[in-house]
Amino acid sequence: MDETHFMRRAIALSCEGVAAGGGPFGAVVVRDGRILGEGRNAVVPARDPTAHAEVVAIRAACAAAGTHDLSGAVIYTSCEPCPMCLGAIWWARIGAIVHGNDRADAAAIGFDDAAIYDEVARPAAERVLPMRRLLAEEAISAFRLWQATANKVRY
């Protein structure tokens, strides 16, 4: 199958998402020429702000593959991923992103991620969303435990 097949599936999922009360976003994760997982935006119907199409598709792909590591996969998404989805794609080790709409197209219909991109680029002390540390000396205990664990799975 050529990649237009996978992009058309992502676009179809974006339309299904709208019909189901979600946002106009769809995604499929593909490896070795087959769809491992697909998703459509379900933020409103699921009452879950993380239920973006890419995250839903990654969760489905990981379940199907039996691993958190999607190396060698490509994600086809109806729109350029937001910062959260981009982070999820990185953590899943997906090797490439193919998108239809871009962030300017999304902003034009009310899905503007510019403030998030700007926020991430600022030093922590200058961010709009206040951020501060608390109990760092206690929190580090989990990191020390992780470091000392011999059979940990790195990701």
Side-chain angles (χ1 to χ4, degrees):
M1 270 179 240
D2 97 353
E3 67 181 351
T4 61
H5 168 79
F6 302 121
M7 181 56 76
R8 285 190 176 110
R9 180 63 187 145
I11 293 166
L13 287 162
S14 70
C15 293
E16 290 175 20
V18 172
F25 305 98
V28 295
V29 176
V30 176
R31 187 163 58 190
D32 300 324
R34 71 180 190 88
I35 295 175
L36 283 179
E38 58 184 36
R40 62 184 189 213
N41 180 284
V43 169
V44 173
R47 296 177 184 89
D48 178 356
T50 69
H52 288 204
E54 296 90 342
V55 172
V56 173
I58 289 167
R59 289 173 181 161
C62 288
T67 180
H68 65 281
D69 187 341
L70 298 176
S71 294
V74 175
I75 190 164
Y76 293 83
T77 179
S78 63
C79 187
E80 180 180 354
C82 75
M84 176 184 70
C85 293
L86 184 58
I89 292 163
W90 272 89
W91 280 109
R93 294 191 178 93
I94 292 173
I97 302 166
V98 180
H99 65 88
N101 298 312
D102 66 16
R103 68 174 90 165
D105 298 322
I109 63 162
F111 294 94
D112 192 349
D113 298 325
I116 301 169
Y117 280 105
D118 292 346
E119 182 83 348
V120 170
R122 286 185 189 97
E126 297 174 19
R127 291 188 179 154
V128 174
L129 186 62
M131 182 184 299
R132 60 189 176 90
R133 290 183 78 175
L134 181 64
L135 298 178
E137 37 311 311
E138 291 179 34
I140 200 73
S141 63
F143 283 13
R144 289 186 181 128
L145 182 61
W146 167 257
Q147 279 184 305
T149 301
N151 62 346
K152 63 183 162 268
V153 176
R154 295 197 178 271
Y155 58 94

